[in-house]
Amino acid sequence: MFEYTDLFQRGVGDTTDIVQKEMYTFEDRGGRSLTLRPEGTASVVRAFVEHKLFGRPNQPTKLFYIGPMFRYERPQSGRMRQFTQFGVEALGSSDPAIDAEVIALAMTFYRQLGLKNLKLVLNSLGDPESRKAHREALIAHFKPSIHEFCKDCQNRLEKNPLRILDCKVDHDHPLMASAPSITDYLNPASHDYFEQVKAILDDMGIAYELDPTLVRGLDYYNHTTFEIMGASFGAITTLTGGGRYNGLVSELGGPETPGVGFALSIERLLLALEAEKVTSTNTERLDCFVAAIGDKAKQKTPGILYNLRRAGLSAERDYMDRKVKAQFKQADRLLAKFVIVIGDEELEKQAANVKNMATGEQQEVSISELVDYLRSNIK
Ligand code: HAM
């Protein structure tokens, strides 16, 4: 939940808004400077290096995380000071197919939940050589008029001119729109890499828009950067941000290791679902509901349920003393595929009556064969 402040200063970058203005930083009793994590990537890479995951044979290392993040931002709809990120990181490969796979994962995730209004925005920041050439062009572009910009931008000019492009204060200055585009400074290797990522996305049938101004608010990116925008909920439409960060592992003390990933917040996801009026995303169905009639049958239910679950089937029962009809209703609410009915008569034969809820078909099945019967009948 918190890290040494230094991790984010080095990882996220000490000229970024996140580090300069948005971190919850405090001293612990030992006088060390700690920070509530504003994002997950730096922490994942710290752990990757600390636990030497790069030494394992199964590369690339694919990781995910879900947890609270903290940024001292101005709260509004979709922007909280504590929010929950779900993120993935793939470390160890610089194959452009991994970039596309990471992007496809985020898109599939949203689509499966029922979101339709999605826009993938893509850019490449190139390799360090390309970025250096772009950096020089940015300095030359802004330098003559830098006094018209905010204090932060004036500081950023020499340190990190790319950060001027995502300044929230000087957003509308005319020099912003005419600033040199990174796309014109990509060297052949970076250009070729980006072409490959796009070709794979084309092949997957994932549409995207190119936006050379997509520089992202964190310093560790190079090559592919992307954001996924959704239906608007207030001023904010970005649902996901991510990209490639090939220098971060070595920056944080590990061996030269490429990486790529994304993070999205659950809060913005919920707002997007609401904005698109997706009411229920629950498509998960219960394999079977065990309905008991009479006290003897009720006594038998826990054992049956336990064995069904141990066999890997999802199973539920009634705990509210419902009548049979109400138990069937509950089974319906849980979208049960089968209802197993046990009454006195069935118990005597060590059997149950199994109803297929889709077809209405009923079949007597011996209790010892319930698992096999359900397994072979559940699609
Ligand atoms: P980020 O763009 O700063 O990137 O944040 C990613 C996502 O976190 C945003 O698209 C948004 O869904 C959510 N988010 C950010 N700030 C807030 C907030 N104040 N309230 C609600 N949601 C918020 C990163 O954090 C990178 N670590 C992503 C990444 C992973 N890049 C590579 N791997």
Side-chain angles (χ1 to χ4, degrees), residues 39 41 65 71 73 78-80 83 85 89 216 218 220-221 238-243 245 261-265 268:
E39 62 107 45
T41 310
Y65 50 92
R71 295 185 194 179
E73 295 191 87
R79 180 170 289 147
M80 294 83 175
F83 54 98
Q85 272 190 351
E89 313 291 350
R216 309 270 304 124
L218 307 94
Y220 46 62
Y221 293 111
T238 307
L239 296 178
T240 291
Y245 47 87
F262 72 73
L264 59 88
S265 74
R268 287 194 193 171

Side-chain angles (χ1 to χ4, degrees), residues 188-249:
S190 301
H191 181 265
D192 182 51
Y193 189 87
F194 195 35
E195 287 305 307
Q196 290 184 59
V197 174
K198 288 190 280 181
I200 298 165
L201 288 172
D202 290 340
D203 223 38
M204 289 170 159
I206 296 178
Y208 52 83
E209 245 173 52
L210 297 176
D211 180 358
T213 68
L214 184 76
V215 296
R216 309 270 304 124
L218 307 94
D219 273 351
Y220 46 62
Y221 293 111
N222 40 52
H223 291 289
T224 320
T225 55
F226 70 97
E227 289 187 355
I228 299 172
M229 326 294 246
S232 113
F233 37 87
I236 292 173
T237 55
T238 307
L239 296 178
T240 291
R244 184 163 273 288
Y245 47 87
N246 288 351
L248 187 58
V249 177

Side-chain angles (χ1 to χ4, degrees), residues 100-118:
E101 186 176 311
V102 160
I103 293 171
L105 173 58
M107 292 297 278
T108 308
F109 173 72
Y110 286 130
R111 284 199 188 123
Q112 283 190 356
L113 287 174
L115 289 183
K116 295 204 172 69
N117 199 338
L118 297 167

Side-chain angles (χ1 to χ4, degrees), residues 8 68 81 90-91 109 124-125 127 137 148 200 218 255 292 297 313 331 357:
F8 302 114
R81 288 183 171 171
L91 294 129
F109 173 72
S124 169
L125 298 180
D127 62 6
E148 294 167 21
I200 298 165
L218 307 94
L313 296 160
M357 298 299 277

Side-chain angles (χ1 to χ4, degrees), residues 27 42 44 86 92 132 155 159 221 266 272 308 332 337 345 351:
E27 245 183 37
V44 165
F86 159 63
K132 191 161 173 277
N155 282 330
K159 279 196 201 145
Y221 293 111
I266 306 295
L308 292 167
D332 264 339
K337 296 173 191 163
E345 220 176 282

